[in-house]
Amino acid sequence: MFGARCLLLAFRRCSSAPCPKHKQAARLRVCEALEAQEVAGDIKVQGWVRSVRSQKQILFLHINDGSSLESLQVVADPTLKHSDLTFGSAVEVQGKLVKSLHRMQNVELKAENIRVVGPCDTLTFPFKPRERQPLEYSRQFPHLRCRTNTLSSLLRVRSEATAAIHSFFKDNGYVHVHTPIITSNDCEGAGELFHVRTSDKVQEPGENSHFFNVPAFLTVSGQLHLEVMAGAFTQVFTFGPTFRAENSQSRRHLAEFYMVEAEMSFTESLQDIIQIMEDLFKTVTSIVLSKCPQDVELFHKYISPAQKDRLEQMLKNKFITIPYTEAVDILKRAPQTFTFQPKWGYDLQTEHEKYLVKHCGEVPVFVVNYPYDLKPFYMRDNEDGPQHTVAAVDLLVPGIGELCGGSLREERLHFLQSRLERLGLADAYQWYLDLRQFGSAPHGGFGMGFERYLQCILGVDNIKDVIPFPRFPHSCLL
């Protein structure tokens, strides 16, 4: 009896114990599979088919999941092929990673199972295998163009550059701040603002029409908010979207773009700001080149063949600094005719900026000390007599023109108050004057257009080709 009871308890324990589970295949990204140094059994790769080639004895696929410019070669028995396995289809391939006989890659995936997760209609799909479409063509399909080699490379470069910018500031002791996107400030003073209003409310007679009781706009810059933070932190930066309602469809302008902006307290020299701008450019670019060599090479080979040499020049040479007055003199002596005649007291146009860089040997140029009346109220007065200037700086780079703009900020209360009163802005910016009354310190900062930076390192001519989603009037999606 006792023995029978023990057998019954043992049976119950066995029947209640969990059954051993089938070992699942390890999932690898394409870039991880390509970097593998050893063969591996039972792995799984998910992605999209870039090419299909079926022979009598063997089936070849190339799979890409966006993690690498290079695709992973898959070899399989032809019986695994079926009608949905076409270019562009989403697939899951399971098998063994084996040494490749192909000299261009170390490993390949020997498939044991191929599952089509999502078929692709190749007849209507706008991109075809082994066809290199111009950027103008791909811009017509903003919802699909990220599947092309060119745009997927751009997005990987953009991702690495974003991480490198954050890393640069973190390594140098900066605090990251999220500045407001909706604000009442027009930092640049140009009036090119998107007005923010509610869309679902009918205004009653006499009712305040503003959601925040004051006019609100999409930000053109986070600078003024960074200056607030620079009263508590010696070094701060922000990296976020900014908006300009400049009605231009040119190759240089965007309505929405990203800005890298930094502010440093206890800074009394414009040279300090210039050095940080140069260090940021060179450090981030070096990281991108080391992290995305194939992606950058694609642009330098097919989009802008001369850009590789230009970039090497920019990285190995010290940037040049010239005063605005000298820059105007150089332009006046130029052997070429400009559309806009260079004149002291006027803004430098893109054609002027590109000429100055060319004149200086295709090395980036810092232009400093701009006319007082040309720049916003917050820039520090140089008090330099007849040629009244402010401590401002613009960084000009080959092929682009202006990339960064910065200045020392006017920290002296009486100078700032006098200028705001002349501009009729003293009441609106009373809070800004307060910053100069409570523990004010000399400070300065700069901003860099992120999309222009990408244009600069990749050699892309149209700024709309370095953003994830170009906007078209006919597109209800975008």
Side-chain angles (χ1 to χ4, degrees):
M1 185 71 178
F2 177 77
R5 189 176 297 160
C6 288
L7 285 172
L8 180 60
L9 289 172
F11 174 76
R12 285 176 177 170
R13 280 198 297 271
C14 289
S15 62
S16 62
C19 296
K21 292 182 179 178
H22 177 69
K23 186 179 178 181
Q24 289 190 344
R27 182 180 170 226
L28 290 183
R29 291 182 298 152
V30 165
C31 66
E32 294 169 334
L34 292 171
E35 292 169 1
Q37 298 300 313
E38 298 179 358
V39 298
D42 209 16
I43 71 157
K44 178 171 62 179
V45 173
Q46 298 163 327
W48 292 268
V49 176
R50 288 295 178 87
S51 70
V52 184
R53 183 162 53 93
S54 183
Q55 298 179 354
K56 186 178 287 188
Q57 302 282 329
I58 196 166
L59 170 67
F60 289 101
L61 303 178
H62 283 91
I63 307 296
N64 195 286
D65 63 356
S67 64
S68 167
L69 176 61
E70 188 180 353
S71 297
L72 176 66
Q73 180 169 281
V74 176
V75 294
D77 190 284
T79 58
L80 293 177
K81 187 179 187 300
H82 51 87
S83 59
D84 284 341
L85 190 60
T86 60
F87 171 72
S89 59
V91 297
E92 180 179 279
V93 183
Q94 190 169 332
K96 292 181 172 62
L97 206 59
V98 299
K99 288 286 184 181
S100 177
L101 298 177
H102 197 284
R103 63 183 178 87
M104 296 301 290
Q105 62 181 25
N106 185 46
V107 294
E108 61 190 18
L109 182 59
K110 187 176 181 180
E112 296 172 351
N113 182 50
I114 301 175
R115 182 169 71 94
V116 176
V117 179
C120 176
D121 183 352
T122 55
L123 292 177
T124 57
F125 189 52
F127 304 107
K128 308 302 177 187
R130 293 178 293 280
E131 281 189 14
R132 185 176 297 278
Q133 300 289 358
L135 292 170
E136 288 76 11
Y137 175 80
S138 65
R139 220 180 294 140
Q140 299 175 64
F141 308 96
H143 55 304
L144 296 173
R145 71 176 194 157
C146 58
R147 304 189 192 190
T148 65
N149 279 344
T150 304
L151 267 295
S152 63
S153 285
L154 179 278
L155 292 171
R156 281 188 294 272
V157 168
R158 189 179 174 111
S159 177
E160 286 294 348
T162 299
I165 288 167
H166 279 272
S167 178
F168 172 86
F169 284 115
K170 183 178 179 182
D171 291 346
N172 285 280
Y174 285 73
V175 175
H176 180 222
V177 177
H178 292 109
T179 53
I181 292 176
I182 299 176
T183 177
S184 60
N185 296 317
D186 178 7
C187 181
E188 299 296 317
E192 297 161 348
L193 301 164
F194 285 104
H195 199 162
V196 177
R197 291 191 176 103
T198 58
S199 61
D200 59 349
K201 182 180 177 182
V202 178
Q203 184 182 347
E204 298 293 333
E207 184 182 8
N208 190 330
S209 62
H210 302 301
F211 182 84
F212 298 102
N213 295 323
V214 293
F217 313 96
L218 295 180
T219 183
V220 298
S221 169
Q223 180 208 312
L224 298 184
H225 294 97
L226 278 185
E227 285 197 61
V228 171
M229 295 299 171
F233 303 93
T234 55
Q235 298 179 131
V236 290
F237 83 100
T238 189
F239 186 1
T242 51
F243 307 84
R244 301 281 168 91
E246 183 177 353
N247 191 16
S248 171
Q249 300 301 318
S250 78
R251 303 168 80 88
R252 286 177 49 84
H253 293 94
L254 293 171
E256 176 186 347
F257 56 97
Y258 273 69
M259 281 278 283
V260 182
E261 299 178 270
E263 204 74 21
M264 296 76 72
S265 292
F266 302 97
T267 298
E268 299 184 61
S269 169
L270 193 60
Q271 183 57 43
D272 293 341
I273 298 168
I274 287 171
Q275 190 60 56
I276 294 167
M277 291 161 74
E278 182 171 346
D279 290 345
L280 173 67
F281 180 91
K282 289 183 174 179
T283 301
V284 171
T285 303
S286 297
I287 292 173
V288 169
L289 292 177
S290 67
K291 296 277 190 180
C292 305
Q294 290 181 314
D295 295 313
V296 174
E297 181 62 27
L298 181 145
F299 281 86
H300 290 175
K301 185 176 181 180
Y302 296 107
I303 307 298
S304 181
Q307 193 64 19
K308 183 177 181 179
D309 291 337
R310 283 200 205 104
L311 203 54
E312 288 176 355
Q313 282 286 102
M314 286 187 262
L315 292 176
K316 75 179 184 181
N317 288 297
K318 179 73 178 171
F319 293 0
I320 294 168
T321 301
I322 59 174
Y324 167 89
T325 301
E326 182 182 336
V328 172
D329 289 341
I330 291 171
L331 294 168
K332 286 180 177 179
R333 298 194 303 268
Q336 74 181 60
T337 302
F338 297 108
T339 304
F340 297 91
Q341 189 64 27
K343 187 176 179 182
W344 201 98
Y346 287 79
D347 251 330
L348 299 180
Q349 302 297 319
T350 301
E351 59 178 344
H352 303 150
E353 295 167 347
K354 290 182 177 180
Y355 178 84
L356 288 170
V357 175
K358 186 178 179 180
H359 176 82
C360 294
E362 297 291 349
V363 175
V365 178
F366 290 108
V367 178
V368 300
N369 299 331
Y370 279 78
Y372 178 88
D373 292 329
L374 203 57
K375 292 296 183 180
F377 66 87
Y378 52 74
M379 295 192 176
R380 197 177 200 275
D381 189 344
N382 281 329
E383 300 178 85
D384 53 352
Q387 292 192 326
H388 208 180
T389 65
V390 290
V393 56
D394 285 341
L395 173 59
L396 315 181
V397 295
I400 302 298
E402 183 187 345
L403 175 64
C404 300
S407 74
L408 293 178
R409 315 310 189 193
E410 183 59 82
E411 87 284 2
R412 297 163 296 185
L413 179 61
H414 62 289
F415 277 83
L416 185 60
Q417 190 162 22
S418 174
R419 190 168 193 186
L420 285 173
E421 285 174 354
R422 287 199 305 274
L423 295 170
L425 298 173
D427 291 338
Y429 285 94
Q430 182 58 51
W431 64 270
Y432 193 71
L433 292 171
D434 284 350
L435 298 177
R436 274 59 179 173
Q437 297 187 74
F438 307 115
S440 177
H443 62 285
F446 69 92
M448 179 180 79
F450 186 48
E451 282 76 14
R452 284 194 183 178
Y453 167 75
L454 294 172
Q455 278 190 284
C456 176
I457 64 170
L458 297 176
V460 177
D461 182 47
N462 193 327
I463 198 168
K464 295 172 180 62
D465 291 322
V466 295
I467 58 175
F469 300 107
R471 283 158 177 78
F472 292 88
H474 66 262
S475 174
C476 61
L477 175 65
L478 301 174

